[in-house]
Structure formats: C-alpha cells, structure tokens
C-alpha cells in the first residue's frame, strides 16, 4: 500500500509540473496565445501585493516563459512561477519599494503548445505609490536590405546617468510590424541602443554583440510626455558561415552537397575533388540548387568517384543568402559503384519577370544534357512564325540557352517550346519581352536637399538583382526600366565613401540618413515619381 501511495504521489507531481497539452483534432491552430486579463490590472496604484496573475486563452508552453520575462526597473528581487491550467502566477520574494512604478514584460518568445508565438510583447505596469509614471518613447526598426519589418529586435533604454557597462534600465522588443514602445516612464533624459542582446542580460557586451545608435543620442522626456526615436534601419548581420554537412553520391559522377543553411551560386563557383594524398583528382561543376531545399546543391564530377576510395572536396565562391562563404576546410567522403539513375527533367526557367531585348532564355535541366532531342526539338515562335531551326541555341552542361538573333524584335511576342523528358512532349514558355517603347522611369527628388549633399540610390528588381546604383545631389532619373515592381534604397553619403554607414554607439556618431521604398510599380512609358524628405 505504501508503494502504491508513493507511485501515485510521484505521478501527481509530474502531472502538475508538465505543460498541459490541448486536445487534438479540429482545424489547425496557427494563432498565438492571447492574454485575457491580469490581476492586478495595468495602471493599478498603491499596490501592496507580491503576486501577479496572467490568464491566457489557451495552454502555454511553460518552457518558453522564464527567459521571456523582464522586470523593470531591475530591483534584484527574486520571483517564482506557478501555474493553474491556463493561468500563470509570478510571485516575488519581497515587497516592492514605495512610490515606484513596476513594469513586467512578457516577450514574444512565449508560445502555445503548438509553438505559435504571442503576437506582440505584453506589458503590465503598477505603482506602489499614488501615481504611475506615464511617459512614452516609441520607434520602429526596419531591415536595410528591403525595408521590411525587423521583428524580435531588442532595444535597451538607459536613464541618465548612463553607464553602458551596466544593465539597462528598460528593454523593449519589436513586434511583427517592427514597432516598439517604452511606456510608464518617469521624466528624465534617456539614451537608446539597438542591441543584439544574445545572452538576454540587458547589457551590451561589446566584444560579442552588435549595437546600433539612433539618430538622436539623447531624448529629454517630460512628465507624462511622449517622444519618438523615429525609424531606424538595421542590417541583420549573418556572422554564421554555411557549413558543408555532408556529401552524397547518387552515382560515380553525380554529387549532392548538403549545407547548414540556404546557399546561392556565384559566377565563379567551383568544386575541387582531391585524392587521399591531397592531390587534385578532378573538378565538378554545379548543376543547380534545389528549389525546395535551398541548402542542397547538386553537382556533376568530371571523373568517376570509385568505390571504397577515399576522397575529399572543397567548394569555393558559394555563399549563404547573407553573402558569407563556407569554411575553407575540406570534407571527406568515399566513392561508390552506383550507376547514374537520375531522371532527366526540367528544374527551372528564367524570364518570370520578363526578358530584355538581349537576354538569353535559359532552361535548367536536372543532369548534363546529352540527348540530342532536347536541342533538336526546340521551337521558337516569333509572332506568327514558327522556327524549328532557330540558329542561336546552345547547350552548356545542364543548361539549354536560346539567344536572340542580335536582339528580340520590338513589339513581337515570343513563345519557346522545349522538350520535357518527363512528359515526352514540349513545354511552352511565354516570357514577356520588354522593348524600348515599354520601358518606364523612376524620378527621385530629395525635397530638403542642400546642393552640397550627396545621395545614392539603389534600384533592386523583383529577383533581388541590383539594376542601378547612382549618386546625385538633389534629383535624378533612373531610365530604361522594364515595367515591373522595384525596391528603392536611398541614403545620404555624409563622408563621401559611397556606402551607407550605420553610425557608432561609442563614441556616438549618428547613422547616415536612410530610406527604403518597396513596390514601386514602373509603368510602360510613364515616370514613377518618388519624393523624399530627410529630417
């Protein structure tokens, strides 16, 4: 009987500590948990308790909570967490000082049991005195490369006297729109930093963490006042190099490289294979990056990789999406006797956003092209005329290239019929061919520019390719742009180095003025006007 009692007691303890799981079945849940109420409520004054209650609309993954809780100001008072179904309790070990505004924040790391995050940070503020501080400082963080919202960014706020070696007085986190807000602030002079606070200690650890300044070094906040830090652009630095995690062989010549993250090829990508003595054995050329798994690269080796023979390989001039190259270390693997059973098929074709009058139309196949029917079956339809003997066709490894005869004719529609080995019939492609009469322009005007200022404009096409980079003083026109949607990036170059400088925290130097506008639709024969005022 004693044994049974002990087992039941242990089982009951385990059940009380574990995260409850919501019932399965029904429609899929893709919404984050919502806070229904708190006790005490935000804005409560003369608070004398030590326990705070948070009621959610669903079960919370309890393992995501503790690291997401911030108490401001940091009074060094310990607290414990407890749960009752969908309720969370925070109980502090000591009472709070008199006449103090206490802020408890829950970050967006908190999820439900299906890993859906809360949509935005939660703030609960109370006061142990008759008044609660009500000052506010807000702002927004956007990504410099495309102007999209930078969510889950951390902003540290210091109240004078400022000591960057100590914990910040306050911390905020950007939501899915990139917005952040410090509320319930006392009057005073404040300094804010955007910090990659990796260890969540509310300190800028300068040796390992990146920090960005705002356009104003200090903000003077009046009692019950509000102010803004405006919009700041940040570069999401990719300090992690892609790692080659494995080399698989589908045959003696066909190789599969698996990386730790998504990659992209460059014009100079190369692959070298070495024998067991470190001597060059062969080279391989890249075929394509898998559209579904962009961390996987397929390649074709020039020589057979023999069974039970040890080899090593090195990949050069390949990058992740942030531009970082893999480690230069070689990766070892063993050859195979497997015959190549790759099914020849079409992987991709260019021209989704149109072709210029001199662009090639390129079809990428899964394997090197050896079948004569792929080239022989090409039909180019130029307007109403069919060509089954188009002269400008070439094959380079696994790519079929159809080039214009000098240039594609203005005002004529083109169709390309290419052989699809899977269906054993031709597949048709109808890319838009832009001629000079269809091009549009972007006109840029800096409304408050001084003639001595220098600005730079970058124009990015829908494929992420930079089509223009130009400097100007007060206004400029970007001509001959195909009628598609573009992203425009502008910055004021204050030190004439032709690049955007993000500023410095210590010593303080303001970032150069920066602006991103997405989805600029260029229309045929029209000028898309962009007017910008840098404060």
């Amino acid at each position: 009987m004693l044994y049974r009692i002990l087992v039941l007691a242990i089982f009951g303890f385990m059940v009380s500590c574990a995260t409850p799981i919501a019932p399965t079945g029904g429609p899929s849940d893709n919404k984050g948990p919502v806070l229904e109420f708190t006790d005490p409520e935000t804005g409560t004054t003369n608070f004398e308790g030590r326990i705070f209650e948070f009621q959610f609309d669903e079960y919370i993954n309890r393992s995501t909570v503790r690291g997401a809780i911030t108490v401001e100001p940091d009074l060094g008072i310990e607290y414990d967490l407890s749960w009752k179904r969908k309720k969370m309790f925070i109980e502090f070990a000591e009472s709070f000082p008199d006449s103090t505004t206490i802020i408890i924040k829950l970050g967006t790391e908190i999820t439900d049991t299906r890993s859906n995050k809360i949509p935005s940070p939660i703030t609960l503020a109370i006061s142990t005195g008759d008044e609660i501080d009500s000052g506010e400082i807000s702002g927004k963080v956007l990504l410099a490369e495309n102007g999209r919202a930078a969510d889950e960014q951390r902003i540290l706020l210091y109240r004078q006297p400022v000591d960057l070696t100590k914990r910040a007085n306050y911390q905020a986190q950007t939501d899915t729109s990139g917005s952040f807000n410090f509320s319930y602030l006392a009057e005073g002079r404040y300094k804010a930093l955007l910090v990659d606070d990796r260890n969540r200690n509310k300190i800028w650890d300068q040796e390992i963490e990146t920090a960005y300044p705002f356009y104003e070094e200090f903000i003077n906040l009046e009692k019950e006042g509000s102010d803004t830090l405006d919009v700041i652009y940040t570069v999401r630095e990719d300090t992690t190099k892609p790692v080659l995690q494995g080399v698989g062989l589908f045959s003696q010549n066909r190789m599969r490289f698996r990386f730790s993250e998504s990659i992209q090829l460059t014009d100079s990508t190369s692959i070298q294979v070495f024998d067991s003595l470190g001597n060059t054995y062969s080279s391989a050329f890249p075929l394509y990056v898998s559209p579904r798994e962009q961390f996987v690269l397929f390649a074709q080796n020039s020589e057979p990789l023999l069974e039970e023979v040890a080899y090593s390989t090195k990949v050069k001039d390949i990058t992740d999406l942030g531009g970082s190259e893999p480690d230069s270390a070689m990766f070892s693997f063993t050859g195979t006797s497997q015959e190549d059973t790759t099914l020849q098929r079409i992987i991709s074709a260019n021209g989704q956003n149109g072709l210029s009058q001199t662009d090639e139309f390129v079809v990428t196949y899964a394997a090197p092209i050896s079948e004569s029917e792929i080239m022989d079956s090409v039909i180019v339809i130029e307007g109403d005329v069919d060509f089954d003997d188009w002269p400008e066709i070439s094959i380079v490894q696994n790519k079929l290239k159809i080039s214009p005869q000098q240039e594609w004719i203005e005002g004529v529609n083109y169709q390309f019929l290419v052989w699809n080995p899977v269906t054993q019939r031709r597949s048709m492609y109808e890319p838009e061919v832009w001629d000079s009469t269809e091009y549009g322009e972007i006109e840029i005007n800096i409304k408050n520019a001084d003639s001595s200022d220098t600005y730079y404009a970058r124009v990015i096409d829908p494929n992420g390719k930079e089509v223009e980079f130009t400097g100007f003083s007060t206004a400029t026109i970007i001509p001959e742009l195909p009628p598609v949607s573009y992203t425009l990036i502008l910055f004021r170059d204050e030190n004439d180095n032709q690049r955007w400088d993000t500023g410095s925290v210590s010593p303080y130097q303001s970032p150069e003025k920066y602006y991103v506008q997405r989805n600029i639709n260029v229309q045929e024969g029209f000028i898309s006007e962009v007017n910008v005022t840098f404060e």
Side-chain angles (χ1 to χ4, degrees), residues 33-320:
V34 175
L35 181 68
E36 293 183 332
F37 69 83
T38 64
D39 183 18
E41 297 180 348
T42 284
T44 298
T45 56
N46 296 308
F47 181 71
E48 298 179 351
R50 294 185 290 113
I51 300 177
F52 296 82
E53 176 184 340
F54 296 80
Q55 171 71 50
F56 292 93
D57 67 337
E58 59 180 316
Y59 291 106
I60 299 298
N61 182 349
R62 298 174 183 179
S63 65
T64 65
V65 173
R66 181 168 289 276
I69 297 176
T70 303
V71 181
E72 298 171 344
D74 185 2
L75 302 172
I77 301 177
E78 300 292 330
Y79 60 82
D80 289 323
L81 295 180
S82 60
W83 298 85
K84 186 176 182 180
R85 297 179 64 80
K86 301 175 186 178
K87 290 182 181 180
M88 179 182 73
F89 300 89
I90 302 178
E91 182 174 0
F92 287 84
E94 304 174 25
S95 298
F96 298 119
D98 293 336
S99 302
T100 303
T101 296
I102 305 298
I103 305 169
I104 299 177
K105 292 183 178 180
L106 308 182
T108 55
E109 299 93 334
I110 295 176
T111 71
D112 60 18
T113 56
R114 293 183 173 88
S115 299
N116 299 310
K117 294 183 178 183
I118 61 174
S120 59
I122 294 170
T123 299
L124 168 61
I126 58 92
S127 174
T128 57
D130 295 333
E131 296 182 344
I132 190 167
D133 296 325
S134 56
E136 290 190 7
I137 296 176
S138 60
K140 179 173 282 192
V141 183
L142 303 178
L143 295 174
E145 62 263 32
N146 54 25
R148 295 183 184 275
D151 61 343
E152 299 186 4
Q153 302 291 298
R154 294 181 181 271
I155 298 88
L156 303 184
L157 186 67
Y158 298 80
R159 190 167 184 263
Q160 272 199 334
V162 175
D163 186 346
L164 297 181
T165 65
K166 296 183 178 180
R167 292 170 64 88
N169 301 99
Y170 303 92
Q171 174 184 270
Q173 187 179 25
T174 57
D175 59 19
T176 53
S177 70
S179 300
F180 65 89
N181 180 265
F182 293 98
S183 53
Y184 306 103
L185 298 176
E187 63 178 317
R189 185 173 170 86
Y190 293 88
K191 179 186 181 76
L193 312 176
L194 173 63
V195 179
D196 176 26
D197 189 16
R198 302 177 188 178
N199 53 17
R200 305 293 190 261
N201 64 355
K202 293 175 66 176
I203 299 174
W204 173 34
D205 297 308
Q206 300 185 29
E207 294 184 356
I208 61 173
E209 295 174 347
T210 304
Y212 296 94
F214 286 80
Y215 289 113
E216 299 295 332
E217 183 175 12
F218 293 101
I219 283 185
N220 294 310
L221 192 64
E222 299 179 352
K223 185 177 182 179
E224 301 181 357
S226 62
D227 209 332
T228 178
L229 288 163
D230 206 351
V231 176
I232 185 175
Y233 290 87
T234 183
V235 178
R236 272 187 172 164
E237 293 189 3
D238 184 4
T239 58
T240 304
K241 294 183 177 181
V243 177
L244 179 57
Q245 296 180 324
V247 177
L249 299 181
F250 287 88
S251 70
Q252 290 187 327
N253 295 89
R254 188 174 180 84
M255 308 174 72
R256 180 182 186 269
F257 295 82
R258 183 184 181 91
F259 291 86
S260 59
E261 57 180 312
S262 296
I263 57 164
Q264 55 189 355
L265 303 177
T266 68
D267 293 337
S268 56
T269 297
S270 64
I271 303 168
Q272 294 294 319
V273 177
F274 304 89
D275 61 22
S276 58
L277 298 177
N279 300 316
T280 300
Y281 173 75
S282 62
S283 62
F285 61 85
L287 294 168
Y288 62 92
V289 175
S290 172
R292 293 185 178 180
E293 298 177 315
Q294 296 186 14
F295 50 86
V296 172
L297 166 65
F298 291 93
Q300 188 78 8
N301 199 49
S302 59
E303 299 293 335
L305 300 166
L306 305 177
E307 184 179 14
E308 298 183 356
V309 175
Y311 300 96
S312 59
T313 185
K314 182 186 293 186
V315 182
K316 295 181 62 177
D317 295 329
I318 196 171
T319 72
D320 63 13

Side-chain angles (χ1 to χ4, degrees), residues 373-436:
E373 62 186 357
I374 289 181
M375 175 180 281
D376 296 342
S377 63
V378 172
I379 295 177
V380 177
I381 303 176
E382 188 176 66
D384 297 328
V385 181
D386 296 2
F387 292 89
D388 59 6
D389 57 350
W390 190 261
E392 301 296 331
I393 299 176
S394 62
I395 288 177
V396 179
Q397 297 166 351
N398 63 320
K399 299 183 187 299
L400 172 70
K401 298 186 177 183
I402 306 174
S403 304
Q405 299 184 67
Q406 295 185 339
E407 63 180 27
W408 306 112
I409 300 173
E410 289 190 9
V412 175
N413 294 325
Y414 285 86
Q415 297 174 326
F416 304 101
L417 283 75
V418 299
W419 188 250
N420 188 334
V422 174
T423 62
Q424 289 294 295
R425 59 189 300 179
R426 295 181 180 93
S427 294
M428 177 181 288
Y429 296 90
E430 302 179 81
E432 188 84 29
V433 177
W434 309 118
D435 60 53
S436 59

